[in-house]
Amino acid sequence: MDADARQSEILKLLDHQDRVEVEDLAGRFKVSLQTIRADLRDLSARNALSRVHGGAVRISTAANRAYADRRKQNAAGKLAMAAVAADVIPENCSITLNIGTSTEQVARALAGHRGLTVLSNNINIVTTMMGGQTMDLILVGGTVRQSDGAIVGEDAVEFISRYKVDYAIIGASALDADGAIMDHDSSEVSVARAILKNARTKILVCDGSKFERSAPVRICSVEDLDVVITDRPVPREFTQAAKRAETRIITTSQNESRENE
């Protein structure tokens, strides 16, 4: 039995049980422990299972489906925001993009830019930009969250702190009319803060539906940003806070974009 067939059988086992053991698999397929460990490494790299000490466990597909569903939400708005972001970002500069479906669209929109150095804690972004015009791609080191390809945690924060880039591009889970930019996961927020801290120009790409949502952890305030790109007019209070901080707000729709001064 070759590796592909063996790995397929391992996944079939995990359809019916929560965990498989290296020793049991080696006996079942009559191969060495090293061969099974290599199989599990390959499957883990493809997000098909999660490795644990002595074996592997099934990945719950609910979180993966949820992230795939978020990609589809307001897809046209995200494409339009990404196009605006690509206009704001020049060629021959350095940027950091964090995790999120909006920042993934920005990465796609930047595919034709030349001379970019791109740093990201988002495996999907690095994969998207491979083979394009990008000069250098740098994947942040740290713990990978398998549901969405995010690299989070203190190792990621320390890694990002080694760099100083021209532009930071972040997303968020919720926006408050008072200017607060928020998210749910404190470890993800720590990475976003590090990205902002180590960039000269700070850009938020976030659709207007986030004003209808809440999240408990503050990333920053609109006052800490240089540019906010969104797909619809924002609340008056948010606009006033942005004006006081001289933060530029660009709103866009599928067919037009305009800038709120």
Side-chain angles (χ1 to χ4, degrees), residues 55-257:
V57 295
R58 180 197 308 163
I59 291 179
S60 171
T61 58
N64 287 311
R65 283 199 300 269
Y67 191 70
D69 289 342
R70 291 206 306 274
R71 283 194 175 110
K72 299 174 186 175
Q73 293 172 1
N74 193 20
K78 291 173 183 176
L79 284 169
M81 291 187 297
V84 171
D87 286 340
V88 172
I89 303 296
E91 296 189 329
N92 302 306
C93 70
S94 55
I95 63 174
T96 304
L97 299 104
N98 80 334
I99 186 67
T101 57
S102 294
T103 52
E104 284 183 23
Q105 286 295 350
V106 173
R108 291 185 177 92
L110 290 171
H113 277 45
R114 296 180 181 274
L116 294 183
T117 295
V118 178
L119 176 72
S120 183
N121 71 317
N122 184 339
I123 289 175
N124 302 307
I125 283 176
V126 172
T127 302
T128 295
M129 301 192 81
M130 287 178 64
Q133 301 292 334
T134 305
M135 183 172 65
D136 290 306
L137 281 171
I138 303 166
L139 180 62
V140 170
T143 301
V144 178
R145 190 167 61 197
Q146 298 202 40
S147 62
D148 58 6
I151 299 174
V152 295
E154 291 306 310
D155 287 342
V157 171
E158 193 278 331
F159 190 103
I160 291 164
S161 299
R162 302 175 199 166
Y163 294 83
K164 185 77 172 184
V165 301
D166 297 316
Y167 294 88
I169 305 170
I170 69 163
S173 293
L175 303 174
D176 196 283
D178 68 3
I181 315 301
M182 297 167 292
D183 221 311
H184 296 283
D185 187 333
S186 59
S187 62
E188 185 174 331
V189 167
S190 296
V191 174
R193 288 174 181 165
I195 288 171
L196 294 173
K197 181 180 179 181
N198 293 283
R200 298 178 180 89
T201 300
K202 304 164 180 63
I203 301 172
L204 172 71
V205 178
C206 198
D207 69 77
S209 70
K210 302 301 173 64
F211 283 105
E212 302 163 6
R213 302 176 187 177
S214 62
V217 190
R218 181 190 292 265
I219 300 172
C220 65
S221 169
V222 67
E223 299 170 354
D224 302 311
L225 301 167
D226 297 293
V227 182
V228 174
I229 299 172
T230 188
D231 66 337
R232 67 184 73 170
V234 302
R236 180 180 296 275
E237 187 180 355
F238 191 91
T239 300
Q240 291 172 340
K243 284 183 176 179
R244 288 193 297 269
E246 299 184 349
T247 300
R248 192 160 54 125
I249 299 178
I250 305 174
T251 61
T252 182
S253 68
Q254 191 168 6
N255 298 316
E256 63 180 3
S257 68

Side-chain angles (χ1 to χ4, degrees), residues 6 10 13-14 17 19-41 49-57:
R6 193 168 53 245
I10 291 171
L13 287 172
L14 284 172
Q17 60 195 67
R19 179 183 176 115
V20 291
E21 302 290 340
V22 170
E23 290 189 1
D24 291 343
L25 293 173
R28 173 186 289 266
F29 298 116
K30 297 181 172 53
V31 295
S32 68
L33 298 178
Q34 290 80 2
T35 296
I36 293 298
R37 292 189 183 106
D39 287 335
L40 299 184
R41 280 197 301 271
L49 52 72
S50 180
R51 293 185 68 199
V52 296
H53 182 71
V57 295

